[in-house]
Coordinates of all heavy atoms in Angstrom, one line a residue:
L309 N 59.4 -4.6 37.8 CA 58.9 -4.1 39.0 C 58.3 -5.2 39.9 O 58.6 -5.3 41.1 CB 57.9 -3.0 38.8 CG 57.1 -2.5 40.0 CD1 58.1 -1.8 40.9 CD2 56.0 -1.5 39.6
L310 N 57.4 -6.0 39.3 CA 56.9 -7.1 40.0 C 57.9 -8.1 40.6 O 57.8 -8.6 41.7 CB 55.7 -7.9 39.1 CG 54.3 -7.3 39.1 CD1 53.7 -7.5 40.5 CD2 54.3 -5.9 38.7
Q311 N 58.9 -8.5 39.7 CA 60.0 -9.4 40.2 C 60.8 -8.7 41.3 O 61.1 -9.4 42.2 CB 60.8 -9.8 39.0 CG 60.0 -10.7 38.0 CD 61.0 -11.1 36.9 OE1 61.9 -10.5 36.6 NE2 60.5 -12.2 36.2
W312 N 61.0 -7.4 41.2 CA 61.9 -6.8 42.1 C 61.2 -6.7 43.5 O 61.9 -6.8 44.6 CB 62.1 -5.3 41.7 CG 62.8 -4.5 42.7 CD1 64.1 -4.5 43.1 CD2 62.1 -3.4 43.5 NE1 64.4 -3.5 44.1 CE2 63.1 -2.9 44.3 CE3 60.8 -2.9 43.6 CZ2 62.9 -1.9 45.3 CZ3 60.6 -1.9 44.6 CH2 61.6 -1.4 45.4
L313 N 59.9 -6.7 43.6 CA 59.2 -6.7 44.8 C 59.5 -8.0 45.6 O 59.4 -8.1 46.8 CB 57.7 -6.6 44.6 CG 57.2 -5.2 44.1 CD1 55.7 -5.2 43.9 CD2 57.6 -4.1 45.1
V314 N 59.8 -9.1 44.8 CA 60.2 -10.4 45.5 C 61.7 -10.4 45.8 O 62.1 -10.7 46.8 CB 59.8 -11.5 44.6 CG1 60.3 -12.9 45.2 CG2 58.3 -11.6 44.4
V315 N 62.4 -10.0 44.8 CA 63.9 -10.1 44.9 C 64.4 -9.2 46.0 O 65.4 -9.6 46.7 CB 64.6 -9.6 43.5 CG1 66.1 -9.5 43.7 CG2 64.2 -10.7 42.4
R316 N 63.9 -8.0 46.3 CA 64.4 -7.2 47.2 C 64.2 -7.7 48.7 O 64.9 -7.2 49.5 CB 63.6 -5.8 47.2 CG 62.1 -5.9 47.5 CD 61.4 -4.6 47.3 NE 61.8 -3.5 48.1 CZ 61.3 -3.3 49.3 NH1 60.3 -4.0 49.8 NH2 61.7 -2.3 50.0
R317 N 63.4 -8.7 48.8 CA 63.1 -9.3 50.1 C 64.4 -10.1 50.6 O 64.6 -10.4 51.7 CB 62.0 -10.1 50.2 CG 60.7 -9.4 50.0 CD 59.5 -10.4 49.8 NE 59.3 -11.2 51.0 CZ 58.5 -10.8 52.0 NH1 57.8 -9.7 52.0 NH2 58.4 -11.7 53.1
Y318 N 65.2 -10.5 49.6 CA 66.4 -11.4 49.8 C 67.7 -10.8 49.5 O 68.7 -11.5 49.7 CB 66.1 -12.7 49.0 CG 64.8 -13.4 49.2 CD1 63.6 -13.1 48.5 CD2 64.7 -14.4 50.3 CE1 62.5 -13.7 48.7 CE2 63.5 -15.0 50.5 CZ 62.3 -14.6 49.7 OH 61.1 -15.2 50.0
T319 N 67.7 -9.6 48.9 CA 68.9 -9.1 48.4 C 69.0 -7.6 48.9 O 68.0 -7.0 49.3 CB 69.1 -9.1 46.9 OG1 67.9 -8.4 46.3 CG2 69.0 -10.5 46.4
I320 N 70.1 -7.0 48.7 CA 70.3 -5.6 49.0 C 70.7 -4.9 47.6 O 71.3 -5.4 46.8 CB 71.4 -5.3 50.0 CG1 72.8 -5.9 49.6 CG2 71.0 -5.9 51.4 CD1 74.0 -5.6 50.5
K321 N 70.4 -3.5 47.7 CA 70.7 -2.7 46.5 C 70.4 -3.4 45.2 O 71.1 -3.3 44.2 CB 72.2 -2.4 46.6 CG 72.7 -1.6 47.8 CD 74.1 -1.3 47.9 CE 74.6 -0.6 49.1 NZ 76.0 -0.3 49.1
S322 N 69.1 -3.8 45.1 CA 68.7 -4.6 43.9 C 67.7 -3.7 43.1 O 66.9 -4.2 42.3 CB 68.0 -5.8 44.3 OG 66.9 -5.6 45.2
W323 N 67.7 -2.4 43.2 CA 66.8 -1.5 42.5 C 66.9 -1.6 41.0 O 65.9 -1.5 40.3 CB 67.0 0.0 42.9 CG 68.4 0.4 42.7 CD1 69.5 0.4 43.5 CD2 69.0 0.9 41.4 NE1 70.6 0.8 42.9 CE2 70.4 1.2 41.6 CE3 68.5 1.1 40.2 CZ2 71.2 1.6 40.6 CZ3 69.3 1.6 39.2 CH2 70.6 1.9 39.4
W324 N 68.1 -2.0 40.5 CA 68.4 -2.1 39.1 C 67.7 -3.2 38.5 O 67.6 -3.4 37.2 CB 69.9 -2.1 38.8 CG 70.6 -3.2 39.6 CD1 71.2 -3.0 40.8 CD2 70.8 -4.6 39.3 NE1 71.8 -4.2 41.2 CE2 71.6 -5.1 40.3 CE3 70.3 -5.4 38.2 CZ2 71.9 -6.5 40.4 CZ3 70.7 -6.7 38.3 CH2 71.5 -7.3 39.3
W325 N 67.1 -4.2 39.3 CA 66.4 -5.4 38.7 C 65.2 -4.9 38.0 O 64.7 -5.6 37.1 CB 66.0 -6.3 39.9 CG 65.5 -7.6 39.3 CD1 64.2 -7.9 38.9 CD2 66.2 -8.8 39.0 NE1 64.0 -9.1 38.4 CE2 65.3 -9.7 38.3 CE3 67.6 -9.1 39.0 CZ2 65.7 -11.0 38.0 CZ3 67.9 -10.4 38.7 CH2 67.1 -11.3 38.1
N326 N 64.7 -3.8 38.3 CA 63.5 -3.2 37.5 C 63.8 -3.2 36.0 O 62.8 -3.2 35.2 CB 63.1 -1.9 38.0 CG 62.5 -1.8 39.4 OD1 61.3 -2.1 39.6 ND2 63.3 -1.6 40.4
F327 N 65.0 -3.0 35.6 CA 65.4 -2.8 34.3 C 65.9 -4.2 33.5 O 66.1 -4.2 32.4 CB 66.5 -1.8 34.1 CG 66.1 -0.5 34.7 CD1 66.6 -0.2 36.0 CD2 65.3 0.4 34.0 CE1 66.2 1.0 36.7 CE2 65.0 1.6 34.6 CZ 65.4 1.9 35.9
V328 N 66.0 -5.2 34.3 CA 66.5 -6.5 33.8 C 65.7 -7.0 32.6 O 66.1 -7.3 31.6 CB 66.7 -7.5 34.9 CG1 66.9 -8.9 34.3 CG2 67.9 -7.2 35.8
P329 N 64.3 -7.2 32.8 CA 63.5 -7.6 31.7 C 63.6 -6.7 30.4 O 63.6 -7.2 29.3 CB 62.1 -7.6 32.2 CG 62.2 -7.8 33.7 CD 63.5 -7.0 34.0
S330 N 63.7 -5.4 30.7 CA 63.8 -4.5 29.5 C 65.1 -4.6 28.7 O 65.2 -4.6 27.5 CB 63.7 -3.0 30.0 OG 62.4 -2.7 30.5
V331 N 66.2 -5.0 29.5 CA 67.5 -5.3 28.8 C 67.3 -6.6 28.0 O 67.7 -6.5 26.9 CB 68.5 -5.5 29.9 CG1 69.8 -6.0 29.2 CG2 68.8 -4.2 30.6
A332 N 66.6 -7.5 28.5 CA 66.4 -8.8 27.7 C 65.5 -8.4 26.5 O 65.8 -9.0 25.4 CB 65.6 -9.8 28.6
F333 N 64.4 -7.6 26.7 CA 63.6 -7.3 25.5 C 64.4 -6.5 24.5 O 64.1 -6.6 23.3 CB 62.4 -6.5 26.0 CG 61.4 -7.3 26.8 CD1 60.2 -6.6 27.3 CD2 61.6 -8.6 27.0 CE1 59.4 -7.4 28.0 CE2 60.7 -9.4 27.7 CZ 59.5 -8.8 28.3
L334 N 65.4 -5.6 25.0 CA 66.1 -4.9 24.0 C 67.0 -5.8 23.1 O 67.1 -5.7 21.9 CB 67.0 -3.9 24.7 CG 68.1 -3.2 23.9 CD1 67.5 -2.3 22.8 CD2 69.0 -2.3 24.9
L335 N 67.6 -6.8 23.8 CA 68.5 -7.7 23.1 C 67.7 -8.5 22.1 O 68.1 -8.9 21.0 CB 69.2 -8.6 24.1 CG 70.2 -7.9 25.0 CD1 70.8 -8.9 26.0 CD2 71.3 -7.3 24.2
I336 N 66.5 -8.9 22.6 CA 65.6 -9.7 21.7 C 65.2 -8.9 20.5 O 65.2 -9.4 19.3 CB 64.3 -10.1 22.4 CG1 64.7 -11.1 23.5 CG2 63.3 -10.7 21.5 CD1 63.6 -11.5 24.5
S337 N 64.9 -7.6 20.6 CA 64.5 -6.7 19.5 C 65.7 -6.6 18.5 O 65.4 -6.6 17.3 CB 64.1 -5.4 20.0 OG 63.0 -5.5 21.0
V338 N 66.9 -6.5 19.1 CA 68.1 -6.4 18.2 C 68.3 -7.7 17.4 O 68.6 -7.6 16.2 CB 69.3 -6.0 19.0 CG1 70.6 -6.1 18.1 CG2 69.2 -4.6 19.6
L339 N 68.1 -8.8 18.1 CA 68.3 -10.0 17.4 C 67.2 -10.3 16.4 O 67.5 -10.7 15.3 CB 68.2 -11.2 18.5 CG 68.3 -12.6 18.0 CD1 69.7 -12.8 17.4 CD2 68.0 -13.6 19.1
V340 N 66.0 -10.0 16.7 CA 64.9 -10.1 15.7 C 65.2 -9.3 14.5 O 65.0 -9.7 13.3 CB 63.6 -9.8 16.3 CG1 62.5 -9.7 15.2 CG2 63.2 -10.8 17.3
L341 N 65.7 -8.0 14.7 CA 66.1 -7.2 13.5 C 67.1 -7.8 12.7 O 67.1 -7.8 11.5 CB 66.5 -5.8 14.1 CG 67.0 -4.8 13.0 CD1 65.9 -4.5 12.0 CD2 67.5 -3.6 13.7
L342 N 68.1 -8.3 13.3 CA 69.2 -8.9 12.6 C 68.8 -10.1 11.8 O 69.2 -10.3 10.6 CB 70.4 -9.3 13.5 CG 71.2 -8.2 14.2 CD1 72.1 -8.7 15.2 CD2 71.7 -7.2 13.2
L343 N 67.9 -10.9 12.4 CA 67.4 -12.1 11.7 C 66.5 -11.7 10.6 O 66.4 -12.5 9.6 CB 66.6 -13.0 12.7 CG 67.5 -13.8 13.8 CD1 66.7 -14.5 14.7 CD2 68.5 -14.7 13.0
S344 N 65.8 -10.7 10.7 CA 64.9 -10.2 9.7 C 65.7 -9.8 8.4 O 65.1 -9.8 7.3 CB 63.9 -9.1 10.2 OG 64.7 -7.9 10.4
L345 N 66.9 -9.3 8.7 CA 67.7 -8.9 7.5 C 68.1 -10.1 6.6 O 68.5 -9.9 5.5 CB 68.9 -8.2 8.0 CG 68.7 -6.8 8.7 CD1 70.0 -6.2 9.2 CD2 67.9 -5.9 7.9
M346 N 67.9 -11.3 7.2 CA 68.4 -12.5 6.5 C 67.2 -13.3 6.1 O 67.3 -14.5 5.7 CB 69.3 -13.4 7.4 CG 70.6 -12.7 7.8 SD 71.7 -13.7 8.7 CE 70.7 -13.8 10.3
Q347 N 66.0 -12.8 6.1 CA 64.8 -13.6 5.8 C 64.7 -14.0 4.4 O 64.0 -15.0 4.0 CB 63.5 -12.7 6.2 CG 63.5 -11.5 5.4 CD 62.2 -10.6 5.8 OE1 61.4 -11.1 6.5 NE2 62.1 -9.4 5.2
N348 N 65.4 -13.3 3.5 CA 65.5 -13.7 2.1 C 66.5 -14.9 1.8 O 66.4 -15.5 0.7 CB 65.8 -12.6 1.2 CG 64.8 -11.5 1.2 OD1 63.6 -11.8 1.4 ND2 65.2 -10.2 1.0
F349 N 67.2 -15.2 2.8 CA 68.3 -16.3 2.7 C 68.0 -17.5 3.6 O 68.7 -18.5 3.4 CB 69.6 -15.7 3.0 CG 70.0 -14.4 2.3 CD1 69.8 -13.1 2.9 CD2 70.4 -14.4 1.0 CE1 70.1 -12.0 2.2 CE2 70.7 -13.3 0.3 CZ 70.5 -12.0 0.9
I350 N 67.0 -17.4 4.5 CA 66.7 -18.4 5.4 C 65.2 -18.9 5.2 O 64.4 -18.0 5.2 CB 67.0 -18.0 6.9 CG1 68.5 -17.6 7.1 CG2 66.8 -19.2 7.8 CD1 68.8 -17.1 8.4
P351 N 65.0 -20.2 5.2 CA 63.6 -20.6 5.1 C 62.8 -20.1 6.3 O 63.4 -20.0 7.4 CB 63.8 -22.2 5.1 CG 65.1 -22.4 4.6 CD 66.0 -21.3 5.0
E352 N 61.5 -19.9 6.1 CA 60.7 -19.2 7.1 C 60.6 -20.1 8.3 O 60.6 -19.5 9.4 CB 59.3 -19.1 6.5 CG 58.4 -18.2 7.4 CD 57.0 -18.0 6.8 OE1 56.8 -18.3 5.6 OE2 56.1 -17.5 7.5
A353 N 60.5 -21.4 8.2 CA 60.4 -22.2 9.4 C 61.6 -22.2 10.2 O 61.6 -22.1 11.4 CB 60.1 -23.7 9.0
I354 N 62.8 -22.2 9.6 CA 64.1 -22.0 10.3 C 64.2 -20.7 10.9 O 64.7 -20.6 12.1 CB 65.3 -22.3 9.3 CG1 65.3 -23.8 8.9 CG2 66.6 -22.1 10.1 CD1 66.3 -24.2 7.9
L355 N 63.8 -19.6 10.2 CA 63.9 -18.3 10.8 C 63.0 -18.2 12.0 O 63.5 -17.6 13.0 CB 63.4 -17.3 9.7 CG 63.5 -15.8 10.1 CD1 65.0 -15.4 10.3 CD2 62.9 -15.0 9.0
Y356 N 61.8 -18.7 12.0 CA 60.9 -18.6 13.1 C 61.5 -19.4 14.3 O 61.4 -18.9 15.5 CB 59.5 -19.1 12.7 CG 58.5 -19.2 13.9 CD1 57.9 -18.1 14.3 CD2 58.2 -20.4 14.5 CE1 56.9 -18.1 15.4 CE2 57.3 -20.5 15.6 CZ 56.7 -19.3 16.0 OH 55.8 -19.3 17.1
G357 N 61.9 -20.6 14.0 CA 62.5 -21.4 15.1 C 63.7 -20.8 15.7 O 63.9 -20.8 17.0
S358 N 64.5 -20.1 14.9 CA 65.7 -19.4 15.4 C 65.3 -18.2 16.3 O 65.9 -18.0 17.4 CB 66.6 -18.9 14.3 OG 67.0 -19.9 13.5
Q359 N 64.3 -17.4 15.8 CA 63.8 -16.4 16.7 C 63.2 -16.9 18.0 O 63.6 -16.2 19.1 CB 62.7 -15.6 15.9 CG 63.2 -14.8 14.7 CD 62.0 -14.2 14.0 OE1 60.9 -14.5 14.2 NE2 62.4 -13.2 13.1
Q360 N 62.5 -17.9 18.0 CA 61.9 -18.4 19.3 C 63.0 -19.0 20.2 O 63.0 -18.7 21.4 CB 60.9 -19.5 18.9 CG 59.7 -19.1 18.3 CD 58.9 -18.1 19.1 OE1 58.6 -18.3 20.2 NE2 58.5 -17.0 18.4
G361 N 64.0 -19.7 19.6 CA 65.1 -20.3 20.4 C 65.9 -19.2 21.0 O 66.3 -19.3 22.3
F362 N 66.4 -18.2 20.2 CA 67.2 -17.1 20.8 C 66.4 -16.3 21.8 O 67.0 -15.8 22.8 CB 67.7 -16.3 19.6 CG 68.8 -16.9 18.9 CD1 68.7 -17.1 17.5 CD2 70.0 -17.3 19.6 CE1 69.7 -17.7 16.8 CE2 71.0 -17.9 18.8 CZ 71.0 -18.1 17.4
T363 N 65.1 -16.1 21.6 CA 64.3 -15.3 22.5 C 64.3 -16.0 23.9 O 64.5 -15.3 24.9 CB 62.9 -15.2 22.0 OG1 62.9 -14.4 20.8 CG2 62.1 -14.4 23.0
A364 N 64.0 -17.3 23.8 CA 63.9 -18.0 25.1 C 65.3 -18.0 25.8 O 65.4 -17.9 27.1 CB 63.5 -19.5 24.9
T365 N 66.4 -18.2 25.1 CA 67.7 -18.2 25.6 C 68.1 -16.9 26.3 O 68.6 -16.9 27.4 CB 68.8 -18.5 24.5 OG1 68.4 -19.8 23.9 CG2 70.2 -18.6 25.1
I366 N 67.7 -15.8 25.6 CA 68.0 -14.5 26.2 C 67.2 -14.2 27.5 O 67.7 -13.7 28.5 CB 67.7 -13.3 25.2 CG1 68.7 -13.4 24.0 CG2 67.7 -12.0 25.8 CD1 68.4 -12.5 22.9
L367 N 65.9 -14.7 27.5 CA 65.1 -14.6 28.6 C 65.6 -15.3 29.8 O 65.3 -15.1 31.0 CB 63.7 -14.9 28.4 CG 62.9 -14.0 27.4 CD1 61.5 -14.6 27.0 CD2 62.7 -12.6 28.1
G368 N 66.5 -16.3 29.6 CA 67.1 -17.1 30.6 C 68.4 -16.6 31.1 O 68.7 -16.5 32.2
I369 N 69.3 -16.2 30.1 CA 70.6 -15.8 30.4 C 70.7 -14.4 31.1 O 71.4 -14.3 32.1 CB 71.5 -15.7 29.1 CG1 71.7 -17.2 28.5 CG2 72.8 -14.9 29.3 CD1 72.5 -17.1 27.2
V370 N 69.9 -13.5 30.6 CA 69.9 -12.1 31.2 C 69.6 -12.1 32.7 O 70.3 -11.6 33.6 CB 69.1 -11.1 30.4 CG1 69.0 -9.8 31.2 CG2 69.6 -10.9 29.0

Side-chain angles (χ1 to χ4, degrees):
L309 173 62
L310 270 295
Q311 291 180 340
W312 172 74
L313 294 177
V314 176
V315 172
R316 68 187 294 270
R317 297 171 61 91
Y318 305 90
T319 62
I320 59 174
K321 299 179 180 179
S322 56
W323 56 268
W324 50 266
W325 188 273
N326 289 279
F327 304 97
V328 168
S330 289
V331 171
F333 289 178
L334 172 61
L335 295 177
I336 291 170
S337 299
V338 173
L339 178 66
V340 170
L341 174 62
L342 294 177
L343 289 176
S344 66
L345 298 177
M346 299 184 291
Q347 61 184 353
N348 295 329
F349 308 98
I350 302 177
E352 185 176 353
I354 297 179
L355 182 63
Y356 177 78
S358 299
Q359 289 178 347
Q360 295 298 312
F362 283 121
T363 296
T365 302
I366 291 173
L367 289 174
I369 290 179
V370 172

